[in-house]
Amino acid sequence: QVQFVESGGGSVQPGESLRLSCAASGFTLSDFAMRWYLQAPVKEREWLATITPPGTSSAYADSVKGRVTISRDNDKNMVYLQMDNLKPEDTGVYYCNRFPPAQPWGQGTQVTVST
């Protein structure tokens, strides 16, 4: 059974930072690229960041490029998303998954950026 458990979200003010964590299990993490997604209120889930299996390369959506860093630790079965200079538009539920994505998706972790 593939499982993703996201954590680290919270309520912050604009300009603050968060570090999200994703604990993956049920598969060999090093065999897959990993991705983070954001589902904003009343919107569909959108891709934010990708990291290659060995962690040597990454890519980001324009909306977060320059403010976000994705990383991974294959030995610990963990993927991370460091988010800096958060904006209200970053509000929503954050999910991680392998690529190609597997079912079921995790419950996600809520991030709220507001004054």
Side-chain angles (χ1 to χ4, degrees), residues 55-109:
T56 53
S57 183
S58 59
Y60 303 93
D62 289 341
S63 61
V64 297
K65 192 172 185 178
R67 302 186 296 116
V68 166
T69 301
I70 186 172
S71 61
R72 67 192 297 161
D73 187 334
N74 290 334
D75 292 336
K76 296 182 178 180
N77 296 318
M78 296 291 294
V79 185
Y80 307 96
L81 190 70
Q82 176 67 43
M83 306 179 68
D84 300 316
N85 191 23
L86 284 161
K87 302 177 180 180
E89 306 89 83
D90 298 322
T91 293
V93 180
Y94 286 74
Y95 299 88
C96 67
N97 209 323
R98 69 190 196 190
F99 183 81
Q103 300 292 335
W105 291 75
Q107 67 178 11
T109 184

Side-chain angles (χ1 to χ4, degrees), residues 4-7 20-24 34 36 77-80 96-97:
F4 306 97
V5 180
E6 300 92 345
S7 62
L20 309 184
S21 297
C22 170
M34 293 294 294
W36 281 96
N77 296 318
M78 296 291 294
V79 185
Y80 307 96
C96 67
N97 209 323

